[in-house]
Amino acid sequence: MESVPSKPLKYFVFDFDSTFTQVEALDVLCEIALKDDPKREGILSEVKRITNSCMNGEISFRESLESRLALLPAHQDHLPALVKELKKSVSPSFERNREFFSNFSDRIYVVSNGFKDFILPVTQEYDIADDHVFANEFTFDAEGNITGFDASNLLSTDEGKVAVIRALDLNGDVYVIGDGYNDYKIKAAGFANKFYAFTENIERGSVIDKADHITPSLDEFLYLNKMNTAISYPKNRIKVLLLENIHPDAARRLKEEGYQVETHDAALDEAELAEKIKSVSVLGIRSKTQVTANVLENANRLLAIGAFCIGTNQIDLTACSKKGIAVFNAPYSNTRSVVELAIGEIIMLMRGITDKSSGMHRGMWGKSAKNSNEIRGKKLGIVGYGNIGSQLSVLAENMGMDVYYYDIVDKLALGNATKCNSLEELLGQVDVVTLHVDGRAENKQFFGADDFAAMKPGALFLNLSRGSVVDVAILKEHILTGRIRGAAVDVFPTEPKSNEEEFVSDLRELPNVILTPHIGGSTEEAQENIGEFVPGKIMEYINTGSSFLSVNFPNVQLPLLQNAHRLMHIHHNRPGVLANISQVLLKYHINVVGQYLKTNEDIGYVIIDIDKAYSDDVIKELRAIENTIRFRVLF
């Protein structure tokens, strides 16, 4: 019988600066040494320029090293501070994958044009043997000043890395992971099977062009080589699409997490989004983008949707649930902004300010107290007493208004607000009506002819909720007759997709009417809050499986995953699914260390933490259980 040839061993060669660490160590040493030097910024800029020229292959390494050290008034006493900074600057994906370095320490090498003086204290913490680290060494004078480098060291020359790998004569497949041109040279000289351009910290076009693979993180490298143990799926493969000019903080947070992020200022129409969404894992939208069932038919990679606003009626939540897509919104982040706009508009309408201001711009001096009133002592009617309505209630009362409210759900009054038992009861007695209802289908034209007719003559009307909830034609009619003294409208049945499109509405050019372009929540503070909150919920869901505050998933708040693998099973809410999951786990003698289950009327969500050791057949059988919608593994 012929023996099966064994696979060749794999050896891993890592660069240090801007690969193992996020920084170039000599640049950091320069910052430390020049801390109080008035010429600091100019010298730092020149050192970084020289570094980049070398990394891009524009100048020789020996030339760059000599030039940088000539600019560097460093002392051996600066090195402990440098080492401290480098230990804090290890690339996040390296830190995540400490287990990889421990498991393969005998086949991991660090080959750097940097200096052992600061590299060894860092690599020692990752179980890399000192004799597997190849780097330059400083020379010092009698006072401890750094005077240069050991010129006899191979790594002080242009072909130093190639010479080191040649001398090692590694008997197996050699993979080089680095960010510089000198790392590529090892592959070009024929001493490495593959060169991976590491881009987690810096992207050099001239290096990327030479690479066999681009690896935005060590996770990606390990995933490609089926060696991933720290995380189940590289975050750089998770593509995020953010539409409608979402606050830059959202993109920043998601990029820092390691995701690919693409942004667009405007909404996309159904056909555009259906095509774009095919490769997207996370979609972020505001109110204009319509995520329909047709769009979702193409969303086979989509894990989550973030609505960077309060409402979610622009998203087909039923279709999302059927495909196992979690939806998150920002129910609280812009509440204050909407409330302040409502208060401001009530005051403006009570005083007829917009018409007076327009007249002034045309040269008219219309000084008069007629139809100009204080809001103190007036009755405010709030329709919808949720987050916004209740906060408006408190602020309006503090400004001297008498507050009345109506909600189809029994809500506790705040302050001295008066609860009304019907909408008609509220409308007949208040001076201002303001709508704060959601955009569900049954609320379409919620406020129509009978409701306007029930309002007190001369009352004011505000809609800062959803454009579809008001019969605009009837509102216009009552404004023209004077029955409605004034109105403020922030939302419309049809809205432009971008600032370049014309706004068309029957409410244009009407007296004492304030029209705003759906900006109730569009303050810098609110958008910043939303830009922090929604990505946080999405990342929590992707990273841990927690669905807390999802609008369509059973809400599960989970502990951090520790020393286990997490199985997440999303299924149609049918009898027997949990029993089938338990049978699979029992069949393979799986030890369960934690289990969580919640259901709503449509779907069930089971999260199971199990020991790390299990057969791939377990995963196959769990995926195959009847009524399974989506199955994920986290570790």
Side-chain angles (χ1 to χ4, degrees):
M1 181 183 294
E2 292 184 6
S3 62
V4 178
S6 59
K7 291 183 179 179
L9 290 176
K10 292 181 179 180
Y11 293 92
F12 312 99
V13 178
F14 290 94
D15 182 31
F16 186 78
D17 293 296
S18 295
T19 297
F20 206 104
T21 61
Q22 301 172 66
V23 296
E24 290 286 330
L26 284 185
D27 294 354
V28 179
L29 180 58
C30 192
E31 292 175 4
I32 294 169
L34 295 167
K35 182 179 178 182
D36 300 315
D37 193 314
K39 299 178 181 178
R40 180 175 185 265
E41 293 306 317
I43 297 173
L44 284 175
S45 178
E46 179 62 11
V47 167
K48 289 178 180 178
R49 185 195 67 77
I50 295 168
T51 298
N52 286 327
S53 294
C54 175
M55 291 298 109
N56 288 325
E58 296 164 3
I59 62 173
S60 71
F61 176 73
R62 175 65 69 95
E63 181 184 349
S64 79
L65 190 56
E66 290 174 341
S67 300
R68 285 181 288 171
L69 289 180
L71 292 167
L72 186 62
H75 189 276
Q76 62 184 10
D77 290 346
H78 293 131
L79 294 177
L82 172 60
V83 169
K84 184 177 179 181
E85 287 301 312
L86 294 179
K87 286 182 177 180
K88 292 190 295 185
S89 302
V90 171
S91 297
S93 64
F94 279 60
E95 176 64 25
R96 273 197 299 273
N97 289 283
R98 279 178 174 266
E99 188 176 342
F100 161 73
F101 292 101
S102 297
N103 292 343
F104 295 91
S105 59
D106 59 328
R107 286 185 267 149
I108 291 174
Y109 293 83
V110 172
V111 180
S112 171
N113 294 124
F115 290 81
K116 284 188 177 181
D117 307 72
F118 53 72
I119 294 176
L120 288 177
V122 178
T123 54
Q124 285 164 357
E125 295 194 354
Y126 289 78
D127 298 320
I128 299 173
D130 288 357
D131 62 359
H132 278 216
V133 176
F134 297 86
N136 282 297
E137 295 178 75
F138 286 125
T139 57
F140 303 89
D141 64 17
E143 285 74 40
N145 296 303
I146 295 176
T147 58
F149 54 91
D150 178 4
S152 66
N153 190 317
L154 288 173
L155 286 161
S156 69
T157 65
D158 296 342
E159 304 298 325
K161 290 191 175 186
V162 174
V164 167
I165 299 301
R166 181 193 296 119
L168 283 172
D169 192 23
L170 300 173
N171 185 22
D173 293 339
V174 177
Y175 297 158
V176 176
I177 303 97
D179 66 283
Y181 191 78
N182 285 335
D183 303 306
Y184 158 70
K185 282 184 175 180
I186 301 172
K187 164 69 186 304
F191 293 103
N193 298 74
K194 291 182 181 178
F195 167 60
Y196 293 81
F198 188 78
T199 60
E200 183 168 353
N201 305 312
I202 190 167
E203 294 187 19
R204 307 184 197 277
S206 60
V207 178
I208 289 172
D209 291 343
K210 304 289 186 182
D212 295 294
H213 295 283
I214 299 169
T215 178
S217 67
L218 185 56
D219 307 310
E220 173 72 9
F221 171 79
L222 298 178
Y223 183 80
L224 286 170
N225 290 283
K226 297 181 171 56
M227 302 170 67
N228 48 314
T229 58
I231 61 172
S232 46
Y233 191 72
K235 292 181 181 180
N236 57 271
R237 291 187 170 222
I238 295 175
K239 186 173 181 181
V240 179
L241 177 63
L242 301 179
L243 304 177
E244 302 185 63
N245 203 27
I246 287 169
H247 195 277
D249 278 359
R252 174 189 56 78
R253 285 202 68 188
L254 293 162
K255 285 177 181 176
E256 287 176 355
E257 188 69 14
Y259 303 154
Q260 293 183 56
V261 180
E262 181 181 345
T263 61
H264 289 265
D265 290 343
L268 300 180
D269 62 30
E270 186 177 58
E272 291 172 322
L273 186 57
E275 179 61 31
K276 199 80 174 173
I277 208 167
K278 290 177 181 178
S279 61
V280 170
S281 299
V282 176
L283 175 66
I285 63 169
R286 294 175 73 183
S287 56
K288 294 187 181 73
T289 301
Q290 300 297 311
V291 185
T292 64
N294 288 336
V295 168
L296 293 170
E297 280 296 314
N298 297 276
N300 294 323
R301 298 175 64 93
L302 196 63
L303 296 173
I305 297 174
F308 286 71
C309 52
I310 295 175
T312 55
N313 57 295
Q314 71 276 39
I315 303 169
D316 190 326
L317 296 178
T318 301
C320 284
S321 296
K322 287 179 179 178
K323 290 184 72 75
I325 300 165
V327 179
F328 298 90
N329 67 340
Y332 315 111
S333 300
N334 65 1
T335 300
R336 177 72 185 200
S337 296
V338 177
V339 168
E340 287 189 4
L341 180 62
I343 290 286
E345 289 183 331
I346 291 168
I347 294 172
M348 298 280 279
L349 292 171
M350 278 286 184
R351 301 288 296 270
I353 295 297
T354 54
D355 288 355
K356 288 181 172 65
S357 177
S358 295
M360 292 285 286
H361 281 286
R362 296 192 303 272
M364 297 170 56
W365 185 262
K367 183 176 180 179
S368 171
K370 185 179 180 181
N371 290 327
S372 180
N373 303 103
E374 295 180 350
I375 65 169
R376 181 176 53 177
K378 303 299 185 294
K379 295 178 179 179
L380 173 65
I382 300 173
V383 182
Y385 205 62
N387 298 322
I388 293 173
S390 57
Q391 189 170 140
L392 174 60
S393 171
V394 173
L395 263 66
E397 186 177 326
N398 285 337
M399 297 187 73
M401 299 190 81
D402 298 324
V403 177
Y404 296 78
Y405 72 92
Y406 170 72
D407 198 299
I408 59 173
V409 178
D410 192 20
K411 298 285 183 70
L412 183 67
L414 298 181
N416 295 312
T418 300
K419 176 185 175 183
C420 296
N421 295 316
S422 68
L423 181 58
E424 291 73 22
E425 179 187 342
L426 178 142
L427 296 175
Q429 60 183 321
V430 299
D431 303 298
V432 182
V433 175
T434 179
L435 301 188
H436 300 285
V437 300
D438 62 40
R440 70 187 72 180
E442 51 266 40
N443 279 345
K444 186 173 183 180
Q445 296 208 335
F446 160 82
F447 206 93
D450 292 344
D451 305 296
F452 282 115
M455 290 173 62
K456 283 175 61 176
L460 302 174
F461 178 80
L462 285 82
N463 181 22
L464 281 76
S465 58
R466 294 290 177 270
S468 61
V469 303
V470 174
D471 188 325
V472 172
I474 298 297
L475 171 59
K476 176 183 179 180
E477 177 185 317
H478 281 283
I479 290 171
L480 290 175
T481 64
R483 182 174 179 82
I484 300 297
R485 174 178 158 188
V489 182
D490 185 53
V491 288
F492 306 90
T494 302
E495 298 180 356
K497 287 195 294 185
S498 72
N499 291 345
E500 283 65 49
E501 289 188 27
E502 182 184 2
F503 165 66
V504 178
S505 173
D506 289 343
L507 300 177
R508 286 170 54 173
E509 307 296 341
L510 296 181
N512 202 25
V513 172
I514 301 173
L515 302 180
T516 49
H518 205 145
I519 57 167
S522 295
T523 61
E524 291 184 5
E525 293 86 351
Q527 292 308 305
E528 185 174 346
N529 290 339
I530 293 170
E532 288 288 323
F533 181 83
V534 177
K537 301 312 297 180
I538 289 171
M539 290 186 296
E540 192 176 33
Y541 174 66
I542 291 174
N543 294 344
T544 73
S546 176
S547 58
F548 186 62
L549 293 183
S550 168
V551 297
N552 68 322
F553 263 40
N555 272 213
V556 182
Q557 197 162 15
L558 297 167
L560 289 174
L561 182 62
Q562 294 183 340
N563 200 33
H565 285 191
R566 178 164 285 170
L567 313 180
M568 292 168 292
H569 194 277
I570 304 164
H571 54 269
H572 298 292
N573 190 5
R574 303 284 188 274
V577 176
L578 184 58
N580 291 335
I581 292 173
S582 299
Q583 286 175 7
V584 173
L585 299 178
L586 181 63
K587 174 182 175 181
Y588 288 94
H589 306 289
I590 300 297
N591 182 41
V592 175
V593 297
Q595 183 167 305
Y596 316 88
L597 165 67
K598 275 207 174 179
T599 61
N600 60 25
E601 60 184 15
D602 297 316
I603 62 175
Y605 188 27
V606 181
I607 302 96
I608 305 166
D609 293 347
I610 66 172
D611 284 343
K612 290 184 176 181
Y614 56 87
S615 164
D616 289 343
D617 291 338
V618 176
I619 305 303
K620 292 176 183 177
E621 291 201 27
L622 289 171
R623 289 185 190 278
I625 289 174
E626 189 177 1
N627 288 309
T628 298
I629 297 173
R630 171 167 273 156
F631 180 82
R632 293 173 62 208
V633 180
L634 281 183
F635 58 85

